[in-house]
Amino acid sequence: MLVATGVRYRRLDVPGMDRLEGSSVYYAATEFEARLCRQDPVTVVGGGNSAGQAACFLSRQSPVVNLVIRHDDLRRDVSRYLADRVEQSPRITVWRNTEVCELIGDGALDEVVLHDLPTDARQRVATTSLFVLIGAAPHTRWLEGEIPLDAKGFILTGRAADGPDGPDGMFETRRRGVFAVGDVRSGSVKRVASAVGEGSVAIRHVHEFLAAEGRR
Ligand SMILES: Cc1cc2nc3c(=O)[nH]c(=O)nc-3n(C[C@H](O)[C@H](O)[C@H](O)COP(=O)(O)OP(=O)(O)OC[C@H]3O[C@@H](n4cnc5c(N)ncnc54)[C@H](O)[C@@H]3O)c2cc1C
């Protein structure tokens, strides 16, 4: 069995999202997205390492990066070295105790409305791209108790599942004959190209497994 059930990315349920999600909202920050943003102001939502890394990465190109977190302690969920880099960057502004409460723009994003939770004040901030990095829920509830999952519910494979390291074993779960690839796999790169690549390698192992079992 090859599991490739993916994840459900958490969305921001705010006015303007339905209208602008296709043009100005991203769920990953790679070279591709960075190129689209050019040197425009961007906003990153999220208080974890993904958001911290995205803010640092985007700040190489964009002179104005807003990092929006709902609490006041950047170090709560961001590694210390990364939090230091964020705070030392003159290009990154950390908005603490803040939520994005509305997206403004017609065909493309022009501004986000930031809601300061302690004071209830709202402020419009110029932004052309919004990066939503607030976690993803893997489609694995049906596998709970069947194969080992990590703390967030992603499927453990290879060495993480006490299996062999290297390409030969890296997609097999602890249960023989059950493989996992793509976003649902713990530690995978959440991109189309890597999901396709993992699938094409893992399917060879599926054939090898079937041959070894004398089923093919
Ligand atoms: C808005 C958005 C934009 C993105 N943009 C990019 C981009 O520009 N470039 C890029 O490289 N990546 C992008 N990504 C990430 C990319 O989509 C994923 O990395 C990639 O699709 C992962 O492929 P996958 O096959 O692992 O999972 P998916 O593509 O999510 O496919 C999983 C499939 O399994 C199905 N499924 C779930 N549960 C079950 C079940 N129990 N039984 C049967 N079927 C089930 C789902 O319905 C789905 O069809 C984006 C993601 C999002 C959310």
Side-chain angles (χ1 to χ4, degrees):
M1 181 165 90
L2 181 62
V3 183
T5 47
V7 303
R8 183 172 45 79
Y9 288 90
R10 295 204 177 91
R11 290 176 82 234
L12 280 183
D13 187 17
V14 296
M17 179 57 84
D18 288 344
R19 196 174 66 250
L20 295 165
E21 191 170 33
S23 64
S24 314
V25 180
Y26 303 97
Y27 293 86
T30 68
E31 291 287 352
F32 175 74
E33 288 83 14
R35 229 175 293 135
L36 292 179
C37 297
R38 298 180 305 247
Q39 296 192 321
D40 299 331
V42 303
T43 295
V44 179
V45 182
N49 279 330
S50 302
Q53 278 163 357
C56 288
F57 176 68
L58 294 166
S59 71
R60 287 198 228 154
Q61 190 162 320
S62 173
V64 179
V65 177
N66 302 294
L67 176 60
V68 180
I69 64 173
R70 280 193 300 190
H71 49 83
D72 67 353
D73 182 9
L74 186 61
R75 284 168 175 71
R76 194 184 82 182
D77 302 318
V78 176
S79 304
R80 195 171 344 140
Y81 83 93
L82 191 54
D84 289 345
R85 278 177 53 197
V86 167
E87 287 178 334
Q88 284 160 13
S89 169
R91 295 177 158 215
I92 303 175
T93 302
V94 182
W95 298 77
R96 294 176 168 80
N97 296 312
T98 301
E99 284 182 346
V100 170
C101 66
E102 187 176 351
L103 311 188
I104 295 174
D106 285 329
L109 183 64
D110 293 323
E111 293 173 310
V112 288
V113 180
L114 299 184
H115 178 199
D116 183 65
L117 298 169
T119 63
D120 206 28
R122 282 150 211 263
Q123 182 175 344
R124 291 165 73 135
V125 173
T127 292
T128 58
S129 301
L130 179 69
F131 291 82
V132 180
L133 299 167
I134 54 176
H139 293 129
T140 52
R141 282 192 61 185
W142 58 290
L143 288 169
E144 283 169 13
E146 299 294 332
I147 54 175
L149 309 174
D150 71 13
K152 292 182 175 165
F154 290 84
I155 299 173
L156 293 167
T157 61
R159 196 165 55 167
D162 296 333
D165 200 12
D168 278 353
M170 84 180 275
F171 303 119
E172 188 157 14
T173 68
R174 204 177 297 165
R175 193 146 168 174
R176 261 183 59 69
V178 180
F179 300 81
V181 295
D183 282 10
V184 78
R185 190 175 72 79
S186 180
S188 67
V189 177
K190 308 299 186 240
R191 309 299 296 160
V192 169
S194 51
V196 171
E198 289 189 5
S200 64
V201 174
I203 205 67
R204 182 168 64 84
H205 300 311
V206 171
H207 286 298
E208 286 168 2
F209 171 81
L210 292 174
E213 294 284 305
R215 298 189 198 172
R216 181 136 189 264

